[in-house]
């Protein structure tokens, strides 16, 4: 259990009844847990209303209601997320574009996804070395390719990333694979040229992929708290992500930002990553996440 989850657990444990103060303190605590202030108020108010209506007067009962309300927030966006086995259309080429700012875990996650979809969905992934910007990025993805025994399509450093992904799609169409997972360079929103480059990659993939499934995953680092929401907001303006993959959830993340992603930005989390190994990735589960956040799991 994360430090924050145990604080939330203890919070309910120390109160004997549900005074007004409890709801006020809960609002503050939710904000500390990376909830947005407006969302934290809304949630506390709703919890107070439900407790009143259902005549719940004990903090443990309130916590059970809270978990239900947290799950409800997630389900607004997560009910449209398909289970792992239905993410990709059978027999169809698929392209996954991996996006995010520097250091969030894009390259590692690209390799994890390749491993997961090969093992669980019998896919034949090709890794596309779309980070042509950073020195050593191409070698890094080639190392993953070697370890996993996967084909890697790469050009020279400084090359056009859209061209790399174009070639990977060509290779797949020629029979080398049926799932392209394209790494990209980390980019900050302040770098207009990189944002423009991203739009170009998106246009090229969109037209080249044709009938293929095309999924854009935004990688967010759970330890960055509310900053993750700002990143998502900015990416959403240039390339709309189909979903988020939340990394480093193992590293004492508080986790409240995920509720804002759903409630304010309408972006669901598709996978949760909990470590550096290939197997440390799993489909996101709303109920479980809500329980863990509230210190119930
Ligand atoms: N603990 C933990 N570490 C992770 C996770 N995912 C990635 N990492 C680590 O985070 C660091 C950065 O990962 P990369 O995959 O290189 O990140 P990136 O976004 O490709 O980085 P740039 O290409 O430099 O923008 C590495 O040390 C990874 O092992 C995770 O889920 N948990
Ligand atoms: Mg990288």
């Amino acid at each position: 259990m994360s430090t924050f989850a145990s604080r939330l657990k203890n919070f309910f444990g120390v109160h004997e009844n549900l005074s007004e103060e409890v709801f006020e303190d809960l609002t503050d605590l939710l904000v500390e847990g990376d909830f947005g202030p407006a969302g934290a108020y809304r949630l506390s108010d709703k919890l107070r209303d439900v407790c009143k209506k259902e005549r719940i007067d004990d903090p443990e009962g309130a916590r059970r209601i809270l978990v239900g309300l947290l799950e409800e927030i997630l389900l607004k966006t997560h009910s449209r997320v398909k289970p792992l086995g239905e993410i990709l259309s059978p027999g169809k080429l698929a392209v996954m574009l991996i996006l995010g700012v520097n250091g969030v875990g894009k390259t590692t996650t690209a390799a994890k996804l390749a491993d997961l979809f090969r093992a669980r969905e019998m896919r034949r992934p090709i890794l596309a070395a779309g980070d042509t910007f950073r020195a050593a990025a191409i070698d890094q993805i080639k190392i993953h390719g070697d370890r996993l025994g996967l084909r890697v399509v790469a050009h020279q450093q400084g090359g056009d990333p859209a061209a790399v992904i174009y070639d990977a799609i060509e290779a797949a169409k020629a029979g080398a694979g049926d799932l392209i997972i394209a790494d990209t360079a980390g980019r900050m929103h302040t770098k207009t040229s990189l944002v423009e480059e991203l739009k170009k990659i998106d246009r090229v993939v969109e037209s080249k992929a044709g009938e293929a499934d095309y999924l854009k995953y935004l990688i967010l680092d759970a330890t960055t708290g509310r900053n993750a929401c700002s990143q998502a907001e900015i990416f959403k303006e240039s390339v709309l992500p189909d979903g988020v993959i939340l990394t480093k959830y193992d590293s004492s993340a508080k986790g409240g930002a995920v509720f804002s992603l759903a409630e304010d930005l309408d972006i669901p989390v598709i996978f949760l990553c909990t470590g550096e190994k290939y197997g440390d990735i799993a489909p996101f589960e709303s109920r479980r996440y809500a329980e863990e956040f509230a210190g119930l799991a």
Side-chain angles (χ1 to χ4, degrees):
M1 190 184 294
S2 78
T3 322
F4 177 76
S6 49
R7 277 187 64 197
L8 201 50
K9 188 183 166 125
N10 292 338
F11 171 81
F12 284 103
V14 297
H15 292 91
E16 289 200 347
N17 53 33
L18 296 176
S19 64
E20 184 52 33
E21 204 188 336
V22 173
F23 295 102
E24 279 168 23
D25 291 351
L26 178 65
T27 311
D28 294 342
L29 193 56
L30 288 171
V31 172
E32 275 182 56
D34 292 336
F35 244 83
Y41 271 111
R42 265 197 306 273
L43 183 58
S44 293
D45 280 353
K46 195 152 185 199
L47 181 64
R48 185 201 290 107
D49 292 350
V50 176
C51 287
K52 218 179 238 169
K53 205 166 134 214
E54 297 192 7
R55 296 171 196 277
I56 289 165
D57 192 34
D58 64 301
E60 263 319 301
R63 188 147 66 116
R64 272 199 320 277
I65 303 288
L66 177 68
V67 171
L69 295 176
L70 286 165
E71 188 189 9
E72 206 177 287
I73 295 175
L74 296 177
L75 287 179
K76 273 181 208 146
T77 47
H78 290 76
S79 51
R80 68 169 187 259
V81 175
K82 295 176 184 155
L84 182 65
E86 293 170 25
I87 289 179
L88 304 178
S89 315
K92 230 180 178 189
L93 176 66
V95 183
M96 290 179 181
L97 189 66
I98 308 300
L99 310 165
V101 306
N102 299 86
V104 288
K106 294 179 296 301
T107 308
T108 311
T109 305
K112 284 176 179 175
L113 286 169
D115 192 41
L116 179 75
F117 278 89
R118 180 172 60 179
R120 302 271 288 271
E121 294 302 305
M122 310 301 162
R123 284 283 172 154
R124 292 183 300 128
I126 298 175
L127 295 171
D131 180 355
T132 58
F133 183 73
R134 190 171 60 81
I138 297 169
D139 286 341
Q140 195 186 349
I141 195 127
K142 280 185 177 167
I143 290 170
H144 285 301
D146 282 348
R147 282 189 196 144
L148 292 167
L150 293 173
R151 175 152 176 181
V152 178
V153 173
H155 290 183
Q156 299 295 315
Q157 193 199 333
D160 176 6
V164 177
I165 303 169
Y166 186 100
D167 280 359
I169 298 175
E170 287 271 277
K173 285 183 175 170
D178 57 11
L179 168 62
I180 291 139
I181 303 181
D183 191 20
T184 62
R187 57 199 75 222
M188 305 304 283
H189 58 282
T190 42
K191 293 207 171 161
T192 325
S193 59
L194 281 175
V195 172
E196 285 309 312
E197 185 185 85
L198 194 58
K199 288 187 188 164
K200 180 185 167 192
I201 295 173
D202 187 38
R203 279 198 305 275
V204 169
V205 178
E206 189 82 60
S207 67
K208 180 70 183 168
E211 291 294 293
D213 286 339
Y214 176 27
L215 294 163
K216 290 164 250 188
Y217 287 141
L218 176 64
I219 313 301
L220 296 176
D221 175 340
T223 63
T224 60
R226 295 216 41 83
N227 202 279
C229 293
S230 325
Q231 289 167 22
E233 208 172 341
I234 285 147
F235 269 90
K236 204 179 160 182
E237 282 165 20
S238 49
V239 173
L240 181 67
D242 293 283
V244 157
I245 300 180
L246 193 69
T247 60
K248 312 189 194 183
Y249 187 58
D250 48 309
S251 317
S252 73
K254 293 183 272 188
V258 166
F259 300 97
S260 306
L261 281 175
E263 201 170 28
D264 304 336
L265 298 174
D266 195 33
I267 304 177
V269 179
I270 315 288
F271 293 102
L272 208 56
C273 295
T274 50
E276 297 182 272
K277 295 197 294 294
Y278 293 128
D280 295 333
I281 183 167
F284 181 86
E285 293 172 46
S286 297
R287 178 77 196 177
R288 187 161 167 201
Y289 193 86
E291 285 175 350
E292 277 178 7
F293 181 78
L296 260 191

